[in-house]
Amino acid sequence: MFTPGRGEWDLDWRGWWGPEPPYHGPVFVLTHHPREPLVMEGGTTFFFVTDGIESAVAQARDAAGDRNVSVAGGAATINQALAAGLLDELRLHVVPQVLGHGDRVLDGVPPLALETIAVRAASQVTHVTYRVLGPLG
């Protein structure tokens, strides 16, 4: 989600947000390509994590202290976090559109018990929030 491309970094690319991203804190970007941290205006620093989802979430939790940590990303990132047991809550945003390609949400995730805790519909999206209860069985 940090860049429009895949592969080696375009070091001139500084994100979608302009000079002041909306995060105002540390952001840990899961990647296969090392890069030095990128310090932006407004208190956002992007850290590029190459050693897996567990490391990225551990670094985020360490940086957050007693505050919440959010994992954002596409299906591959969310699937990794779910499979590793790293999420307490899952928020899905469902739009009435079929793309016909791409990663599938929940692909490769072992059976999990989820509890629906919120559903909110708008004209072009339905937001569903689940509490992750743990593995089935």
Side-chain angles (χ1 to χ4, degrees):
M1 287 179 50
F2 178 82
T3 178
R6 293 195 183 259
E8 294 296 324
W9 293 109
D10 171 0
L11 296 179
D12 292 331
W13 176 258
R14 299 178 62 80
W16 301 100
W17 315 273
E20 188 173 345
Y23 305 109
H24 309 291
V27 176
F28 299 87
V29 178
L30 195 58
T31 180
H32 295 290
H33 302 281
R35 180 175 177 173
E36 291 298 313
L38 177 59
V39 179
M40 305 288 285
E41 294 175 20
T44 299
T45 300
F46 292 99
F47 296 93
F48 300 91
V49 180
T50 60
D51 56 344
I53 188 76
E54 292 90 348
S55 176
V57 171
Q59 290 178 58
R61 285 181 175 156
D62 187 51
D66 61 353
R67 295 172 300 186
N68 289 335
V69 169
S70 294
V71 176
T77 299
I78 300 307
N79 292 347
Q80 289 177 56
L82 282 168
L86 299 172
L87 300 184
D88 299 319
E89 194 172 278
L90 173 64
R91 295 180 184 168
L92 294 178
H93 311 286
V94 183
V95 296
Q97 188 175 58
V98 177
L99 300 177
H101 66 285
D103 295 328
R104 297 182 304 172
V105 176
L106 306 178
D107 198 21
V109 175
L112 290 173
L114 303 174
E115 175 186 13
T116 304
I117 56 176
V119 177
R120 185 172 57 87
S123 64
Q124 293 297 312
V125 63
T126 301
H127 306 280
V128 185
T129 304
Y130 298 99
R131 180 174 293 114
V132 179
L133 300 177
L136 285 176

